[in-house]
Amino acid sequence: KKVFYNLIDNSLRHGDHVTRITFSSRETPDGLVILCGDNGIGIPSQDKTQIFTKGFGRDSGLGLFLIREILSITKISIRETGDYGNGARFEMLIPKGDYR
């Protein structure tokens, strides 16, 4: 619940002009991918490797860091795959066999 709340909060705070946030899922050979995307400004390429680092960002720098920590406890990984200028997109991978 906290992960989804923080993703939505991040979109609204940092997405500049977000009017749509979507969630979807798809099964892949590696597991279940949960997608969260918005139609905001997105994340610049040079920031993508740092956004999950504690202290990085405009506010407290804890939101995405805590998301990654919470998910990693249950073996779920997260990455940002959006295109700057076209919105942010986060992919969470739940390994095969760890969901039903």
Side-chain angles (χ1 to χ4, degrees), residues 80-92:
E80 202 284 330
T81 60
D83 296 317
Y84 185 63
N86 293 315
R89 182 177 60 235
F90 291 92
E91 295 185 8
M92 295 163 274

Side-chain angles (χ1 to χ4, degrees), residues 5-65:
Y5 174 86
N6 279 345
L7 287 171
I8 293 167
D9 186 56
N10 263 2
S11 287
L12 296 175
R13 284 180 190 250
H14 306 295
D16 193 29
H17 55 269
V18 172
T19 60
R20 187 181 71 242
I21 300 171
T22 60
F23 287 89
S24 62
S25 65
R26 69 173 192 271
E27 229 173 327
T28 70
D30 296 326
L32 182 69
V33 176
I34 299 173
L35 300 158
C36 172
D38 66 42
N39 65 344
I41 192 69
I43 298 171
S45 298
Q46 67 270 17
D47 293 346
K48 288 181 186 261
T49 58
Q50 299 175 3
I51 60 173
F52 296 104
T53 304
K54 186 176 182 180
F56 183 81
R58 287 186 283 191
D59 292 329
S60 68
L62 291 175
L64 290 174
F65 168 76

